[in-house]
Structure formats: C-alpha cells, structure tokens
Amino acid sequence: MRGLTGPSARLYLRTVREHYPDLDRISDDVLVAHGNALCVARGQALVDQAKKTKKELEVTGRQASQILGTAHGHCGRNVFR
C-alpha cells in the first residue's frame, strides 16, 4: 500500500524535520496529511495537490517541492526491509 502511514510516516516526518528546519512552524499532523495526499496523487491530481499544499501551508515553491520530494521518497516504503 502506498502512502504515509505508520513507520513510513514517522520516517518522513523525521526527514523533513532534520533537513528542512524552515518548515518547523507546520505541525506534524498537517505535514503528514499533506505528504500522504501527495503520495497517493497521480497525474493532474498530483499537480493540483502540490498547488493546494503550497497555498494551504503558505510555503514557497521550493518548500512545496521539498515536501513533495520527501513524501514521494517515503511513500509506501517498507522501513523494515
């Protein structure tokens, strides 16, 4: 299953917090919710979700890209392999 749940959500959040301290004003729950939405979106829905994330979180394009890239790097990853 793809998405940010359980261990993959925790790893995603830890990665964001360690590498992007400028996003510290955004709560853990909100980051995971947006990261998960970016994980499951495809095609035009991904573009739309990226724009929604940028607007709702009031982040720059670069910050939105960091959230998107980190989320996709952790989507559905089995951290126990």
Side-chain angles (χ1 to χ4, degrees):
M1 179 178 147
R2 292 186 56 83
L4 292 174
T5 59
S8 64
R10 288 189 294 276
L11 185 58
Y12 159 76
L13 197 54
R14 185 174 71 205
T15 301
V16 169
R17 296 298 184 210
E18 287 178 4
H19 296 283
Y20 308 112
D22 56 323
L23 298 174
D24 66 348
R25 65 178 179 75
I26 303 168
S27 76
D28 292 353
D29 291 340
V30 170
L31 274 174
V32 171
H34 278 271
N36 190 55
L38 290 162
C39 276
V40 298
R42 295 286 174 268
Q44 185 61 43
L46 178 61
V47 173
D48 294 343
Q49 182 59 47
K51 289 178 182 177
K52 181 179 177 180
T53 294
K54 182 180 176 194
K55 182 179 179 181
E56 288 184 6
L57 301 185
E58 299 177 341
V59 295
T60 66
R62 181 178 180 174
Q63 290 169 320
S65 294
Q66 293 167 339
I67 293 168
L68 175 99
T70 304
H72 271 268
H74 291 84
C75 289
R77 176 185 277 183
N78 183 345
V79 296
F80 298 111
R81 281 188 188 170

